[in-house]
Amino acid sequence: MKSVLVIGIGRFGRHCARELMSLGHEVMAVDINEKNIDSIANDVSSAQIGDATDPLYMESLGISDFDMCVICIGDNFQASLEATSLCKELGCPFVVARAARDIHRKFLLKMGADQVVYPERQMAIWTATTYSSDHVFDYIQLDMDHAIYEVDIPLPWQNKTILDINVRKKHNVNILGLKIDGKLMLSITPDTVLKKGMTMLILGTKKDIQKCLKY
């Protein structure tokens, strides 16, 4: 279990704080807006109305005692920069900050952010990738080139074993697991037969995976 400070309780901040709680972490939520704190107070370990750009207030929180700070401020970039800088200055070992544009990322990193996320961009990419194809059900981007897709079994692969298809040599991808009636099966072997109605988790470059889905 980690102790996490979430600063900025807008829509992204609320979702982030609630998900952290569901994962078993201890979460403190901070926002300057009383209504935002009221909306999350019953869902987190503790919640406070406070100004994350005020050094004295931030010092009073004991920032160095948190394992991670997540800066979710989305409507005031200057406040996001100041909160990020203060969290690092006051000893937080890991700071994640939200950005809307690449220029924001550059400044947040200079202020000490260890990681920068683009929630709107990442969701846009996921939506475009998932819903623009008839065969893609889910998608996780690992880096600029590689991703894990959940996809239908391509028609030419159906009723064949993984060994028969020779996916690594012929297609330069790896099958990580299969889903059968919504249940994930990771114990696959070269003799596992791929059948219609299954979906598979496949790892590779976007280009190679898209080639597999052209049928």
Side-chain angles (χ1 to χ4, degrees):
M1 182 183 75
K2 291 185 176 181
S3 177
V4 185
L5 174 63
V6 178
I7 296 173
I9 308 300
R11 283 175 293 182
F12 175 63
R14 280 196 298 274
H15 286 305
C16 187
R18 287 169 178 157
E19 184 64 21
L20 285 163
M21 286 294 295
S22 75
L23 293 170
H25 301 298
E26 183 177 297
V27 178
M28 172 182 278
V30 168
D31 196 285
I32 200 168
N33 187 304
E34 183 178 356
K35 289 183 178 179
N36 288 345
I37 289 300
D38 288 342
S39 73
I40 197 71
N42 294 327
D43 301 327
V44 294
S45 307
S46 60
Q48 287 192 18
I49 302 166
D51 183 357
T53 68
D54 181 343
L56 291 177
Y57 172 71
M58 292 291 280
E59 189 173 4
S60 74
L61 295 177
I63 297 293
S64 61
D65 294 331
F66 290 94
D67 298 302
M68 178 172 70
C69 291
V70 186
I71 314 298
C72 301
I73 300 169
D75 57 354
N76 186 334
F77 183 57
Q78 180 63 34
S80 181
L81 285 175
E82 292 181 29
T84 299
S85 178
L86 282 171
C87 284
K88 291 306 290 187
E89 287 177 11
L90 293 170
C92 182
F94 193 78
V95 176
V96 181
R98 173 188 181 181
R101 299 195 294 274
D102 287 334
I103 190 66
H104 290 176
R105 177 179 182 274
K106 291 178 182 179
F107 282 110
L108 287 165
L109 290 172
K110 286 183 178 179
M111 290 296 103
D114 297 287
Q115 190 64 260
V116 176
V117 296
Y118 298 85
E120 290 86 358
R121 179 188 295 183
Q122 290 161 347
M123 181 52 67
I125 292 171
W126 183 90
T127 301
T129 301
T130 303
Y131 292 109
S132 65
S133 172
D134 295 332
H135 306 291
V136 177
F137 297 94
D138 205 351
Y139 163 86
I140 302 171
Q141 185 168 334
L142 301 178
D143 60 23
M144 290 298 292
D145 298 313
H146 296 82
I148 299 172
Y149 285 69
E150 180 185 350
V151 299
D152 277 326
I153 306 298
L155 187 61
W157 296 12
Q158 291 177 15
N159 300 315
K160 295 180 180 178
T161 67
I162 294 174
L163 181 61
D164 291 335
I165 301 162
N166 202 2
V167 291
R168 289 183 184 174
K169 283 191 176 180
K170 288 186 178 179
H171 303 283
N172 201 31
V173 298
N174 289 285
I175 298 174
L176 304 180
L178 297 170
K179 272 190 178 180
I180 305 171
D181 296 327
K183 294 183 179 179
L184 182 62
M185 182 177 73
L186 296 176
S187 57
I188 59 174
T189 70
D191 296 323
T192 299
V193 178
L194 305 179
K195 297 180 180 180
K196 182 179 180 180
M198 295 178 174
T199 61
M200 62 180 177
L201 301 181
I202 187 169
L203 167 65
T205 66
K206 298 177 186 178
K207 184 178 179 180
D208 286 332
I209 293 173
Q210 290 296 334
K211 285 182 181 178
C212 297
L213 299 179
K214 290 182 179 179
Y215 60 90

